[in-house]
Structure formats: structure tokens, C-alpha cells
Amino acid sequence: SFHTARTLHMIAVPFLLAVNWILIPYNIFSEGHGLMGKISHFVDHYIFGPKDLARLVGIIKNFFGKGEYPAFTVYDEKTGHYKTKLHPLMKILIPLEGLALFLITVSGIVLYKLDWSLFGLPVAQWIISISGMIAPTFGMTPVGFLRVLHLLMTYWFIFELVVHVGILEFDPRVWKYYKAIFWSGKEDLSDRHFVEVERHNPNHLPDRELWRDPSDKPSEVKE
């Protein structure tokens, strides 16, 4: 029934908001040292840039049998940090997903209660007023416009979720990421599928490797 569906909907809302507005932002901005380090981490990992465009072109070429599928996990062995670890298409979809969730939440406040307020502030009325500036363009009432917006953004969110989980990661070799996320907490960088490890000159090799004498035979390596 509608009543049961609405109840389940309202139970799901706080979990969705907690994940997308608390856990994900915390995960993003808890990395990096200092303000500039956090900004750099955010830009490198979540903002689509020229290098991501090059990878995306490589992915498209691979689809048509031209070249290898480019790595989208790039790890710098010297610094011990990832330069990027998201599929380039996800760097386009994630900001759009965040925008959709924001609009779903804003419109959902009015659909939940027309006079909803927070700490005495008439939040729902503010949203209706803003909607009233846009809705006439489409020949709609403010609340009617918010209903359509809520529905369309929900459809977009479902589509993005299908692309995210059902298509981009529907490759057995990607299951290592699920293992890292939900079980081990670590990624196997020795698996070269979609992974590139940037190595540097010998001055940055581990101490164990620096002990090797060029004249030593393999069996005489000093450990």
C-alpha cells in the first residue's frame, strides 16, 4: 500500500543521507595532510581532468579492439599514495549523483511536509518560494514542479547506480575491489589488471633492494 511504501521510504532516507552526506565526504576529506593536501587529494581522486580524458579515450579505443584497457588505479610507489583510483567515467557520474541526491533531498522536504521547519526556520517555505521562480517556466505549480524534479532525479540516481555497479564493475577482474572494500581493506597491486604502479630510480627502492651488489649472482644476494 502507499502507506507502507511511504514508511519504508522514510526509513531509508536517513541511511541514504548518512552514507552520501557524512561517510563519503568524511572519507574524501580525511585523506591528505593539511588543507592543500586534502584539496589536492580531492582534485586528483574525484575531479575529471585531462589525464582522465586520456584514459577514457583509451577505454573507448579498447572497446573497438584498439590497444589495452588503461589502468585507472595508479599508485606511486615513492610516496606510498594513489594518484587516482577511480574509473574516469565515475569521476563524471559521482558529482552528478551528488547533485541528484541534493535535489532529491530538497524536493523531498516539501513533499514530506509543506510547512517543515528546522530550529524555527521555515525551510519548506523557502524551497517552495525558490521553486515558484522556476515552475512557471514549465507551466507548473511550485509543488508540482518539485514532485516532477524529485521523480526525475530518482530515476537518474537509479540509472547511475546501474551504470556504477552493474556495468562498469561487471568484470570478474574487478571483484578484487569488492574484496578490498568489504573484507581485507587492501588492494593487491601485483594484479596488473587496471593497475599501474609508478616506480622510481634506485634511490627510492626499499633498503632490502639497495643491499644488492651488481656483481652478486642471484644466489649470493645479501639479505
Side-chain angles (χ1 to χ4, degrees):
S1 67
F2 177 81
H3 176 75
T4 302
R6 190 174 189 273
T7 300
L8 293 174
H9 183 90
M10 296 312 299
I11 291 174
V13 165
F15 291 99
L16 184 66
L17 295 182
V19 168
N20 288 278
W21 286 19
I22 298 176
L23 294 182
I24 292 178
Y26 172 78
N27 179 59
I28 292 174
F29 293 105
S30 62
E31 296 292 332
H33 300 288
L35 178 61
M36 295 308 298
K38 293 181 184 299
I39 293 175
S40 176
H41 169 81
F42 173 75
V43 171
D44 291 342
H45 288 72
Y46 298 96
I47 301 299
F48 187 86
K51 292 182 179 179
D52 298 298
L53 177 60
R55 293 188 188 97
L56 188 57
V57 170
I59 290 168
I60 295 172
K61 287 182 178 179
N62 173 262
F63 181 80
F64 291 101
K66 305 292 184 180
E68 296 292 328
Y69 200 102
F72 52 80
T73 292
V74 181
Y75 180 80
D76 190 322
E77 194 175 58
K78 176 184 176 181
T79 62
H81 293 285
Y82 289 92
K83 287 193 171 181
T84 181
K85 53 183 176 181
L86 280 183
H87 191 287
L89 190 56
M90 289 312 304
K91 291 187 176 183
I92 298 174
L93 294 177
I94 286 178
L96 295 177
E97 175 189 330
L99 175 61
L101 286 172
F102 173 76
L103 295 175
I104 288 171
T105 303
V106 168
S107 57
I109 288 173
V110 173
L111 301 182
Y112 171 68
K113 192 175 182 182
L114 292 174
D115 59 350
W116 188 82
S117 62
L118 180 66
F119 304 123
L121 300 174
V123 177
Q125 290 301 312
W126 289 347
I127 296 171
I128 293 173
S129 297
I130 296 172
S131 175
M133 300 176 187
I134 305 170
T137 305
F138 302 96
M140 305 171 70
T141 64
V143 175
F145 173 76
L146 290 171
R147 287 182 181 276
V148 172
L149 181 66
H150 193 81
L151 185 62
L152 290 179
M153 290 299 98
T154 302
Y155 281 145
W156 165 257
F157 178 76
I158 294 172
F159 166 76
E160 193 275 341
L161 187 65
V162 170
V163 173
H164 186 169
V165 178
I167 298 177
L168 290 181
E169 301 189 17
F170 201 60
D171 183 326
R173 294 170 296 189
V174 177
W175 282 95
K176 64 182 180 182
Y177 294 114
Y178 290 98
K179 180 181 178 182
I181 292 169
F182 298 109
W183 180 255
S184 67
K186 299 179 180 179
E187 180 182 352
D188 180 10
L189 296 175
S190 65
D191 181 353
R192 287 299 182 259
H193 289 299
F194 317 128
V195 174
E196 175 187 334
V197 177
E198 294 189 352
R199 303 185 185 280
H200 298 265
N201 61 59
N203 291 332
H204 301 300
L205 290 174
D207 290 344
R208 182 173 59 83
E209 295 295 329
L210 293 175
W211 296 343
R212 189 187 301 272
D213 189 305
S215 63
D216 288 339
K217 297 179 180 178
S219 60
E220 299 171 341
V221 173
K222 301 177 181 65
E223 294 293 346

